[in-house]
Amino acid sequence: MIEYEPLFPGAAMNFKAMASKLGFSLEDFIELVQLLITTSQSELLTVEKELAAGSSAGVSRAAHSIKGAAGNLGFMHMADLAREMETLANQGNTGNMDKIKKKAAALKADLDLIKKAGDKGY
Amino acid sequence: MDIKHAFTILIVDDNIVNLKFMEKTLEKEGYQVITTDNGADARTLAMEKRPDLILLDIQMPGGDGFEVIRFLKGTLVTSTIPVIFLTGMTDVNSKLKGFELGAVDYVTKPFHPLEVLARVAIHLKLSIATNSLIANQAMRLKEITEAQTSMLPLPKDFPQAKFGVYYNALHEAGGDFYDVLSISDKITGYFVADFSGHDIKSSYMTASIKALLAQNSNPVYSPLETMKMINDVLMEILSKNKYLTACYARLNRTTGNLCIVSAGHPPVVLVPVTGDPQLIQVDGDVLGMFKDAKFGVHRMRLNPGDRFFIYSDGLVESTRQKITWNTGAQTLLTKFKKIRHLPLSKTSSALVKSLFSGGAVPEDDIVVLCVEV
């Protein structure tokens, strides 16, 4: 089992630097981050429902969506988790369900960290 | 101060974060942005708004990006809009499929705003250059059409030749051609030709044919000799598999003698003052194809007031209805009853109108030359 490091180990989340890297103002970047949080939370709920229903296709779709959005904004750790969830789901192996759940939990933890950072106005 | 036209970009992505991300990226650089999260709306918006460029996600509900681009490229009003794929897919086959369907480029997720902006800018520049090239070519084709038309003699300029004409080129570079030559006070030559193909080369060739006719039509050469000399020159200058059908009729108004030379051309229709219209069927090889071409010759004496019609196959031939000019010409005879007494200036167009009155549409260039003795 792969254990994940915290989202930004040893460093505070620097939204200003991330925004600057993408050429966005901090204001615009925070707006995008808030949108990412909202949509990803919704997608994680979908993952839970689809896992309960045993639908790997639904899990794959939701993970794919999170992967693209997080990756574009520079949250690569979160994007990697989503990519791994998508890969596991695409394997269509019922034995992967637990692994997906763990990764979803790690992803949720990432989201919480991002949310907290946003609340602090980073 | 003038405000320059802002380019409009349509972004299609089912991921709301990505959609907003791209929207912000492009708007801050002055682009007008339209967004949608599904393929069905993408089709409608593309047709209604005619964006300058489309950024299109591959995986979407309501039809994936491949289906959307297939629709866009197959629809006249959207077919030239450059489409850039937004894709999380990294496999070569997906990219190749995108290019095959008409995409100009792709951006792989996660994408960097500066990369997207650079790709959008370069494809807009290419699009501008292409549109400018198309506009330039359209202008040149228009010039060719004008030049071609200016070479065609009008009845008012040659009243002694007593002819009426209908001429319609379906394309900018027409494949049909006619000329009227004053060989002497009382002798006039009438020439109608139809080039194989309607390309630009054909339109340039009409100038050569006109020059060859002028050089080789005189009282010393018989009409057959004129045609043979033109054929010899065409053999040298026409490209392989290029040829023309032609009919050259020379009328002597003093004697009433008419000589018709046919180079694989539809039959002349004779409409005498008294008697029924008749086809003057003359077989012969086409022009510009064979070194020792044999052209059909028919000589006859006409009376004052008699009329004859020389026309191109577009008047009687139909590919859709599988009618060749051989069979089409037979039905032509029935049309002369109503038009035979019309003024010369109206006869040719009346003939065309009567043939295409039942909803039929011309499939080829048409020239109809009506001559009165």
Side-chain angles (χ1 to χ4, degrees):
Chain A
M1 190 182 83
I2 303 167
E3 291 296 341
Y4 279 87
E5 296 294 323
L7 185 55
F8 293 92
M13 220 176 294
N14 190 339
F15 282 4
K16 198 172 177 181
M18 292 174 80
S20 170
K21 196 177 171 188
L22 293 172
F24 288 127
S25 67
L26 180 61
E27 202 176 42
D28 278 350
F29 185 73
I30 288 174
E31 188 187 331
L32 288 168
V33 171
Q34 282 166 347
L35 197 57
L36 172 72
I37 293 165
T38 314
T39 54
S40 298
Q41 283 172 337
S42 169
E43 297 289 10
L44 281 175
L45 283 175
T46 306
V47 169
E48 277 178 31
K49 283 181 195 164
E50 299 291 345
L51 279 173
S55 164
S56 55
V59 173
S60 173
R61 267 197 302 275
H64 177 84
S65 177
I66 296 171
K67 178 186 74 177
N72 283 338
L73 290 183
F75 296 106
M76 300 317 294
H77 185 267
M78 190 175 152
D80 282 345
L81 283 169
R83 179 180 51 77
E84 286 163 8
M85 281 168 66
E86 185 185 5
T87 307
L88 287 167
N90 287 343
Q91 286 168 356
N93 186 345
T94 48
N96 285 345
M97 292 299 179
D98 280 345
K99 292 177 189 170
I100 292 173
K101 277 179 191 168
K102 280 175 185 164
K103 292 201 189 295
L107 207 151
K108 190 173 180 303
D110 272 12
L111 262 184
D112 289 341
L113 276 173
I114 295 168
K115 193 169 182 302
K116 276 178 195 164
D119 292 342
K120 285 178 187 171
Y122 286 123
Chain B
M1 192 176 77
D2 287 345
I3 296 173
K4 297 286 181 194
H5 158 74
F7 290 104
T8 304
I9 314 290
L10 169 63
I11 311 170
V12 190
D13 197 323
D14 65 319
N15 188 308
I16 306 300
V17 179
N18 291 349
L19 212 52
K20 200 73 187 166
F21 177 97
M22 301 296 285
E23 187 180 358
K24 283 186 178 294
T25 299
L26 291 161
E27 273 184 349
K28 69 184 171 62
E29 295 301 321
Y31 293 105
Q32 267 184 0
V33 177
I34 316 165
T35 61
T36 178
D37 63 356
N38 65 80
D41 285 352
R43 297 168 205 218
T44 312
L45 283 168
M47 287 197 295
E48 284 176 2
K49 306 287 182 187
R50 315 270 177 89
D52 297 293
L53 187 140
I54 299 173
L55 291 166
L56 177 64
D57 189 19
I58 287 185
Q59 284 185 318
M60 284 182 305
D64 72 12
F66 295 128
E67 286 171 32
V68 175
I69 194 171
R70 197 175 278 121
F71 171 84
L72 294 174
K73 294 298 163 190
T75 305
L76 188 63
V77 294
T78 55
S79 62
T80 58
I81 301 173
V83 177
I84 298 177
F85 268 143
L86 304 174
T87 175
M89 296 180 179
T90 50
D91 71 294
V92 175
N93 286 341
S94 291
K95 288 171 188 169
L96 289 177
K97 188 177 175 187
F99 283 125
E100 196 179 302
L101 291 174
V104 293
D105 206 349
Y106 64 88
V107 186
T108 307
K109 296 173 189 173
F111 29 70
H112 194 285
L114 292 179
E115 185 194 355
V116 174
L117 286 171
R119 288 187 193 271
V120 165
I122 198 160
H123 287 291
L124 283 174
K125 280 180 200 166
L126 280 171
S127 181
I128 292 164
T130 307
N131 289 340
S132 157
L133 194 69
I134 290 166
N136 193 275
Q137 286 177 346
M139 195 180 75
R140 284 177 190 279
L141 278 172
K142 199 178 163 210
E143 284 171 0
I144 289 168
T145 310
E146 286 168 1
Q148 221 178 355
T149 311
S150 72
M151 281 192 284
L152 304 172
L154 297 173
K156 66 179 173 62
D157 300 325
F158 296 88
Q160 75 282 6
K162 293 179 78 175
F163 74 100
V165 67
Y166 173 91
Y167 177 85
N168 184 40
L170 283 188
H171 309 279
E172 282 84 351
D176 283 5
F177 169 73
Y178 75 90
D179 202 4
V180 175
L181 303 111
S182 278
I183 294 164
S184 74
D185 281 356
K186 295 291 181 184
I187 303 174
T188 311
Y190 303 92
F191 184 86
V192 171
D194 180 2
F195 283 88
S196 58
H198 302 88
D199 52 24
I200 304 294
K201 278 184 189 170
S202 301
S203 63
Y204 283 122
M205 285 307 298
T206 56
S208 306
I209 300 290
K210 190 172 175 72
L212 285 170
L213 272 169
Q215 285 166 15
N216 296 297
S217 297
N218 56 51
V220 179
Y221 295 146
S222 72
L224 181 60
E225 285 170 330
T226 301
M227 287 287 264
K228 282 191 167 175
M229 273 189 257
I230 292 173
N231 184 63
D232 288 347
V233 179
L234 288 178
M235 284 300 297
E236 300 298 323
I237 62 173
L238 276 185
S239 52
K240 201 181 172 189
N241 298 326
K242 202 85 187 158
Y243 63 90
L244 55 152
T245 70
C247 179
Y248 181 43
R250 185 186 285 188
L251 176 66
N252 184 327
R253 284 199 161 76
T254 305
T255 61
N257 285 335
L258 175 71
C259 178
I260 297 167
V261 182
S262 177
H265 205 73
V268 168
V269 177
L270 174 66
V271 184
V273 175
T274 54
D276 294 329
Q278 52 184 286
L279 294 174
I280 311 296
Q281 193 83 48
V282 188
D283 294 331
D285 294 332
V286 293
L287 262 181
M289 189 66 116
F290 310 108
K291 189 85 182 160
D292 301 314
K294 300 272 186 287
F295 303 120
V297 182
H298 185 87
R299 292 184 181 84
M300 61 198 303
R301 180 164 288 177
L302 301 181
N303 296 308
D306 287 350
R307 290 178 176 182
F308 62 91
F309 292 76
I310 315 173
Y311 52 92
S312 58
D313 59 3
L315 182 72
V316 289
E317 202 170 65
S318 169
T319 310
R320 285 182 210 134
Q321 296 178 55
K322 296 179 180 171
I323 300 172
T324 62
W325 58 255
N326 273 317
T327 51
Q330 298 296 331
T331 59
L332 195 58
L333 293 178
T334 60
K335 305 292 178 185
F336 288 92
K337 196 175 176 183
K338 283 185 181 171
I339 63 163
R340 64 187 302 162
H341 300 300
L342 288 174
L344 197 55
S345 60
K346 293 183 177 170
T347 312
S348 296
S349 50
L351 177 63
V352 175
K353 204 174 170 185
S354 71
L355 280 162
F356 294 95
S357 58
V361 179
E363 297 171 28
D364 198 356
D365 302 340
I366 294 177
V367 56
V368 180
L369 204 63
C370 170
V371 181
E372 187 174 291
V373 182

